Amino acid sequence: MTELRWDGRVAIVTGAGRNLGREYVHLLASRGARVVVNDLGVAISDTDGAGDAPAHNPAHDVVAELGTAYGPGVAVASTDSVATPDGGAAIVATALDAFGRVDVVVNNAGVVRQAPFEDYGPELADPVFASQLGGHFNVTRPAWPVMRSQGFGRVVNVSSGAGLWGVPKMGAYATAKMGVVGLTRTLAQEGRADGINVNVIAPSAKTRDGGFGPIPASAELNDWLSPAMIAPLVAWLAHEECDVTGECFSVGGGYVGRVVLAVTPGWRSRDLTPESLRDHFDAVIDEDGLAVMPAGAGDMARMFEGFMPPTTADGR
């Protein structure tokens, strides 16, 4: 089996000082990539952002680890915030200053806040929106023209099961994470002609103390949902041989599955009324004949079935 490598490629990974991001940069660097290890170095908190930040930004520690393992010059640290346009531009500038190019962007950084919806005020929601969705914009946007000029780029965005399936008390987080899916599908269409592929993952991994949903905490659970189990998918989506774009993948515990948007055959009437919908709503939601809608597509063909556009003056 031929080993996949990233020799000559430069990857930016945000939130790479700990947990999932750290696994991503280690795998990419071990296969020849040069990496920008970005981390703001703040406390990890899922509630109010309180807590003790690390005494030393972990981005520097990871850069030292990578240098020891894979040689000097393989990694540089960035401690800028993804939550502002200036921070995103500075992260990309770090890659260009150190390595002269940007081939891969992994948008992994973001804060988490949990609260009942009625208590989810702007002091909790705004940092989530700024980092989890704004961060993807702020880092990808300045990297985009660089990748376009090269005729090559790979963007791996990070969503969550909270966005795809919904999780109570995570209103802003789930909103932002589903927004990342929409951004991914749009950028996939914009980047295709320029050799830029954009995909999104929804990882399940143990990065906090405690259990996982209804499963109680244990060493076995931590091992089963190890962050290291996510990195191979990120690396594959970031490789030049991977021609998939605009797709979403659920990954965790050794499992990888494609997540799709699908539309039912539905029901059609040019005389829609609330009453007719009431009487035919079973047909609207009937999943028999469910059709997957790839990025850039949709159910417009169904909506315009039978439509006759007006002719022009010359009969065309």
Side-chain angles (χ1 to χ4, degrees):
M1 181 183 297
T2 303
E3 181 183 75
L4 294 175
R5 293 192 59 82
W6 287 259
D7 298 298
R9 299 298 188 189
V10 175
I12 293 170
V13 181
T14 66
R18 289 165 282 193
N19 298 323
L20 289 166
R22 179 176 174 273
E23 297 292 342
Y24 303 158
V25 292
H26 264 278
L27 180 54
L28 290 169
S30 74
R31 300 293 187 94
R34 291 169 293 175
V35 295
V36 174
V37 181
N38 165 260
D39 203 287
L40 192 57
V42 297
I44 294 178
S45 170
D46 290 350
T47 52
D48 58 3
D52 296 328
H56 182 70
N57 190 307
H60 298 293
D61 298 330
V62 174
V63 168
E65 294 170 8
L66 296 174
T68 299
Y70 312 117
V74 72
V76 294
S78 162
T79 59
D80 297 287
S81 172
V82 303
T84 67
D86 287 347
I91 293 167
V92 174
T94 297
L96 295 175
D97 291 344
F99 304 124
R101 59 185 296 127
V102 177
D103 299 287
V104 176
V105 172
V106 181
N107 287 306
N108 172 70
V111 302
V112 179
R113 300 290 183 267
Q114 299 184 54
F117 186 62
E118 64 268 25
D119 299 330
Y120 223 131
E123 73 283 357
L124 298 179
D126 288 353
V128 175
F129 293 142
S131 61
Q132 295 286 4
L133 186 54
H136 287 65
F137 267 88
N138 295 332
V139 179
T140 305
R141 188 163 43 201
W144 196 261
V146 178
M147 293 189 289
R148 190 178 64 241
S149 68
Q150 297 167 172
F152 176 85
R154 296 291 185 266
V155 179
V156 182
N157 291 326
V158 179
S159 182
S160 168
L164 298 177
W165 324 122
V167 173
K169 299 183 180 181
M170 301 192 78
Y173 182 77
T175 300
K177 287 302 193 182
M178 197 60 182
V180 168
V181 176
L183 175 64
T184 298
R185 292 170 76 86
T186 296
L187 293 185
Q189 297 305 299
E190 293 191 27
R192 188 187 298 273
D194 295 310
I196 305 172
N197 290 355
V198 187
N199 292 286
V200 59
I201 68 169
S204 292
K206 280 295 297 166
T207 60
R208 306 285 199 275
D209 294 333
F212 194 85
I215 304 172
S218 69
E220 290 77 9
L221 174 64
N222 291 346
D223 180 65
W224 188 262
L225 291 182
S226 167
M229 303 295 284
I230 312 299
L233 175 61
V234 171
W236 164 239
L237 294 174
H239 197 271
E240 61 192 53
E241 288 189 20
C242 182
D243 59 2
V244 172
T245 192
E247 298 291 350
C248 177
F249 300 93
S250 178
V251 54
Y255 162 82
V256 181
R258 179 186 177 211
V259 179
V260 301
L261 295 178
V263 179
T264 68
W267 177 72
R268 176 187 310 282
S269 171
R270 292 291 296 162
D271 298 312
L272 282 179
T273 66
E275 293 77 18
S276 67
L277 282 168
R278 175 198 62 197
D279 296 340
H280 294 89
F281 212 66
D282 285 347
V284 172
I285 64 176
D286 186 357
E287 295 181 7
D288 187 32
L290 202 67
V292 173
M293 297 295 164
D299 52 0
M300 294 297 291
R302 288 173 173 158
M303 292 183 188
F304 281 88
E305 186 177 317
F307 173 71
M308 297 295 292
T311 57
T312 60
D314 59 6
R316 291 184 293 176

